[in-house]
Amino acid sequence: MTSAGPSVVLVTGASGGIGSAVSLAYARSGARLVLLARSPDDLDRLARRCLEAGAAGAVPVVADVADGGAVREAVRDVVAEHGRVDVTVHCAAVVAYGRFGDVPAEVWDRTVTVGVLGTANVARAVLPTLAAQHGGGSLVVVGSLLGEVTVPFMSSYVTGKWAVRGLTRVLQQEARATPGVHVALVAPGSVDTAIYELAGSYAGRQGRPPPPVYGPERVAEAVLRVVAGRRRSAFVGVTNPLVRLGFVTVPRLYDVLVTPLMRMAGLGRDQVDPHAGNVLRPSQEVRTP
């Protein structure tokens, strides 16, 4: 906590999965929460849960991180209401499965836009505020193991997460010139969230998290740890170092194995028709295939 009274915490992608888990973890610490996502009904339910969990406040904000103006307005409203923002946790992401040539350009581009430009929009809105306010504050970006390795059938998501990792590292380097501003990256492996069932798919089957799979609460714990300790990064997943090692040291073997492993463990059994999932529309407007 960098200010007197409850911390003010902004969470993007708050309506489900890791974002919800982070929001509830901060709620239990008594924080004032601003919950940003595209789905108003999901946000309203989460806000009620956060208040029941002990949050000093929980305000839902319906906005798309790909809309830079909406993100800036949300941050301005937070500062106008509370005088500051202590922690921003950027969790928003969408996923589309399928070979590169099979995913429609609109869906592929939107996945990258949410991942990369969404992160840039949040950073543009938040970092000047952190630099200007007394005590600074933290920006935590939720990345992925897929920001360090590649897998087939997820080219748009992988492209976005590699770019997000690079952007976050640059932001960390530049933040050295602004005392008090803390930038961190939390990179989980497989996490048990609805992002897989809500993902678009042009692979003939729906995506699923390959084992080992962790609960989103584990990622939320890592987020709170990096903020409390002003750490630069954290990883969630015991096999992540082994996967990274294989990707870097034996790339030919990795490439031979990764496609059959992805077909076996990263895609479901049931056939599905091609669909965009929640890539183009909020999750509450999407029927699970």
Side-chain angles (χ1 to χ4, degrees), residues 209-247:
V213 181
Y214 297 88
E217 296 77 15
R218 288 282 294 272
V219 186
E221 291 169 3
V223 169
L224 268 64
R225 284 198 304 272
V226 299
V227 172
R230 308 282 286 186
R231 292 169 52 186
R232 290 168 58 87
S233 62
F235 303 93
V236 180
V238 294
T239 61
N240 290 15
L242 179 62
V243 175
R244 290 196 301 270
L245 181 66
F247 180 78

Side-chain angles (χ1 to χ4, degrees), residues 201-206 263 267-275 289:
S201 182
Y202 300 86
R205 293 184 284 165
Q206 199 64 20
R263 290 187 185 278
L267 295 173
R269 302 297 184 193
D270 297 333
Q271 295 290 315
V272 298
D273 293 330
H275 66 93

